[in-house]
């Protein structure tokens, strides 16, 4: 069992930046992927950034070039650097850990609120 805790959310003006952090209670070094999801108000949770065990990354088109995900396996943390923020980036951001892609097990944090004002 791994617990995830997000931090770093807040209120920012459009065009600004925020850095979200996800701290895991245990080792994430062998986890297949560490991910960030975004849930906008009234919408379903959406996967926005993925970081695999080799450090490879992928992003949903809407955040490409603006968001950067990274993981530090030694510190059991995952970061999401967000820049050029837009009002549509508003919502709750959740950290997600997938130990093994094949078994369906996943851990979730409680989320951190990001609000981007226009």
């Amino acid at each position: 069992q791994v617990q995830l805790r997000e931090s770093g959310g807040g209120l920012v003006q459009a065009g600004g930046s925020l850095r979200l952090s996800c701290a895991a209670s245990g080792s994430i070094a062998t986890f297949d992927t560490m991910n960030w999801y975004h849930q906008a108000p009234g919408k379903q949770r959406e996967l926005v950034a993925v970081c695999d065990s080799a450090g490879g990354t992928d992003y949903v088109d809407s955040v490409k070039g603006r968001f950067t995900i990274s993981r530090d396996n030694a510190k059991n943390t995952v970061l999401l650097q967000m820049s050029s923020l837009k009002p549509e980036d508003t919502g709750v951001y959740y950290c997600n850990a997938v130990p093994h892609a094949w078994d369906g097990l996943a851990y979730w944090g409680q989320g951190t609120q990001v609000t981007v004002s226009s």
Side-chain angles (χ1 to χ4, degrees):
Q1 185 79 10
V2 172
Q3 296 182 334
L4 305 175
R5 174 178 288 187
E6 303 95 337
S7 61
L11 174 64
V12 64
Q13 288 188 330
S17 298
L18 281 175
R19 188 177 76 166
L20 305 184
S21 181
C22 172
S25 61
S27 176
I28 63 170
T30 61
F31 283 16
D32 279 351
T33 62
M34 296 296 299
N35 314 299
W36 285 96
Y37 282 73
H38 170 227
Q39 187 165 20
K43 296 189 177 181
Q44 290 188 337
R45 200 172 296 188
E46 176 189 38
L47 177 62
V48 295
V50 176
C51 188
D52 65 26
S53 58
T57 60
D58 200 8
Y59 304 90
V60 68
D61 285 346
S62 60
V63 308
K64 282 182 180 177
R66 300 189 299 120
F67 289 12
T68 301
I69 186 173
S70 61
R71 64 194 280 179
D72 186 334
N73 291 332
K75 296 182 179 179
N76 297 321
T77 58
V78 183
L79 301 178
L80 185 67
Q81 179 68 48
M82 306 187 295
S83 59
S84 302
L85 284 162
K86 304 175 181 180
E88 52 263 43
D89 296 322
T90 293
V92 181
Y93 285 78
Y94 296 91
C95 181
N96 166 261
V98 178
H100 307 289
W102 49 266
D103 68 4
L105 176 65
Y107 300 108
W108 292 91
Q110 292 298 308
T112 185
Q113 175 71 41
V114 171
T115 303
V116 184
S117 63
S118 58

